[in-house]
């Protein structure tokens, strides 16, 4: 019995020693072994592989947006457009094609093209519905630059109607028409003098069935209005 007890005590002692050794190895010896495995060359290799994995992702290049399309300087079309800038100023822009210039040269000669001056002839056509180039109230000429394609000019006439001719004045004073613009009206420069003295108060629109009932719906309100009433008929009552 005593022998068994001795063997049991010895076994427990051995197991305890083994456990202590395992703990010491895990606590102190294992990190040292791991540090030996992770040597400097291996760390460099690991870092290189890690960097390669990072650079293996696709790199999206940021492309510059395409430039905005530019408006063409010319459209190869003969036109003259007139606009009202404000009550006193007008603005015109135009294009003369090579074909139109060629037609002028063929009819009047190349010398007359070079010796003539480009002119904007501004017509006041207020109150004239069938303007034909000769029945304007009055006109004035504005000499412009040879290479101009637009022009601002002062007319000093609010609430008027204008039209413009683009042409050339020959050395003898003859005006040759090239293009004619649209009609424009300059805005007013003051408050309108149109006053409607027949504007009615709500009491006149809703005549005498007692006082006006607030909150009444639109259909009921419409049924109780006088028939065919308008501003000039304010003082006219139908029997």
């Amino acid at each position: 019995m005593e022998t068994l007890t001795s063997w049991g005590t010895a076994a427990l002692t051995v197991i305890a020693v083994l456990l202590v050794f395992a703990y010491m190895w895990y606590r102190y010896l294992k990190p040292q072994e791991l540090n030996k495995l992770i040597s400097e060359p291996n760390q460099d290799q690991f870092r290189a592989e890690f960097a390669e994995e990072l650079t293996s992702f696709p790199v999206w290049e940021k492309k510059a947006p395409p430039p905005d399309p530019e408006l063409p300087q010319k459209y190869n079309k003969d036109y003259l457009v007139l606009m009202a800038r404000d009550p006193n100023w007008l603005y015109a822009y135009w294009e003369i094609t090579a074909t139109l210039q060629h037609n002028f040269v063929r009819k009047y000669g190349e010398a007359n093209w070079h010796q003539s001056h480009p002119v904007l002839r501004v017509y006041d056509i207020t109150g004239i519905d069938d303007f034909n180039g000769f029945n304007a109230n009055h006109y004035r000429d504005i000499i412009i630059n040879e290479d101009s394609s637009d022009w601002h000019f002062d007319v000093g006439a609010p609430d008027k109607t204008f039209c413009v001719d683009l042409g050339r004045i020959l050395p003898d004073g003859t005006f040759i028409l090239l293009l004619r613009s649209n009609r424009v009206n300059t805005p007013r420069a003051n408050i309108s003098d149109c006053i409607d003295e027949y504007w009615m108060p709500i009491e006149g629109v809703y005549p005498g069935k007692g006082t006006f009932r607030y909150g009444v719906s639109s259909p009921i309100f419409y049924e109780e209005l006088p028939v065919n009433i308008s501003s000039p008929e304010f003082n006219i009552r139908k029997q």
Side-chain angles (χ1 to χ4, degrees):
M1 190 66 180
E2 293 179 357
T3 302
L4 293 175
T5 302
S6 300
W7 278 102
T9 301
L12 292 174
T13 303
V14 172
I15 293 173
V17 171
L18 292 175
L19 290 175
V20 171
F21 176 78
Y23 173 78
M24 295 297 293
W25 179 84
Y26 181 82
R27 182 67 178 83
Y28 295 103
L29 299 179
K30 186 175 181 181
Q32 295 178 1
E33 295 295 331
L34 291 176
N35 291 334
K36 292 181 181 180
L37 293 175
I38 305 176
S39 58
E40 288 299 327
N42 292 336
Q43 289 180 359
D44 295 339
Q45 182 180 1
F46 172 75
R47 291 169 183 169
E49 292 177 355
F50 183 71
E52 183 179 358
E53 291 178 357
L54 289 178
T55 56
S56 63
F57 291 99
V59 179
W60 304 102
E61 296 182 0
K62 186 177 181 180
K63 297 182 179 180
D68 295 333
E70 296 182 359
L71 293 176
Q73 296 294 329
K74 295 184 178 181
Y75 294 91
N76 295 322
K77 182 179 179 181
D78 296 310
Y79 62 85
L80 171 59
V81 179
L82 181 63
M83 303 174 63
R85 198 189 76 177
D86 55 47
N88 296 302
W89 284 76
L90 298 178
Y91 170 69
Y93 63 95
W94 61 87
E95 180 181 347
I96 297 177
T97 62
T99 302
L100 184 59
Q101 180 177 348
H102 175 73
N103 293 336
F104 179 96
V105 171
R106 184 178 60 181
K107 186 174 182 179
Y108 300 100
E110 186 173 359
N112 279 327
W113 177 269
H114 294 292
Q115 295 175 5
S116 60
H117 300 285
V119 170
L120 287 177
R121 178 161 287 185
V122 185
Y123 300 96
D124 181 347
I125 56 173
T126 304
I128 301 175
D129 296 330
D130 54 347
F131 174 66
N132 57 16
F134 302 98
N135 58 345
N137 298 322
H138 57 82
Y139 71 86
R140 68 186 180 98
D141 291 339
I142 302 175
I143 298 178
I144 60 177
N145 298 331
E146 187 70 43
D147 55 350
S148 298
S149 60
D150 65 321
W151 205 266
H152 295 263
F153 48 96
D154 183 10
V155 293
D159 197 21
K160 299 292 183 178
T161 305
F162 293 92
C163 180
V164 172
D165 282 349
L166 174 62
R168 302 185 74 87
I169 294 184
L170 302 181
D172 60 358
T174 303
F175 177 77
I176 306 300
L177 173 65
L178 297 177
L179 297 171
R180 176 162 292 168
S181 75
N182 53 297
R183 303 162 58 104
V184 297
N185 296 322
T186 53
R188 296 180 58 88
N190 52 14
I191 300 174
S192 174
D193 56 358
C194 296
I195 300 175
D196 185 358
E197 63 273 18
Y198 297 114
W199 281 105
M200 294 180 296
I202 189 63
E203 293 83 1
V205 177
Y206 188 79
K209 292 184 181 179
T211 59
F212 179 74
R213 293 180 295 160
Y214 292 96
V216 68
S217 61
S218 297
I220 298 176
F221 178 75
Y222 178 77
E223 291 175 0
E224 296 180 355
L225 289 176
V227 181
N228 297 328
I229 191 169
S230 62
S231 295
E233 297 177 356
F234 173 61
N235 294 321
I236 301 176
R237 293 203 173 191
K238 296 183 178 180
Q239 301 295 334

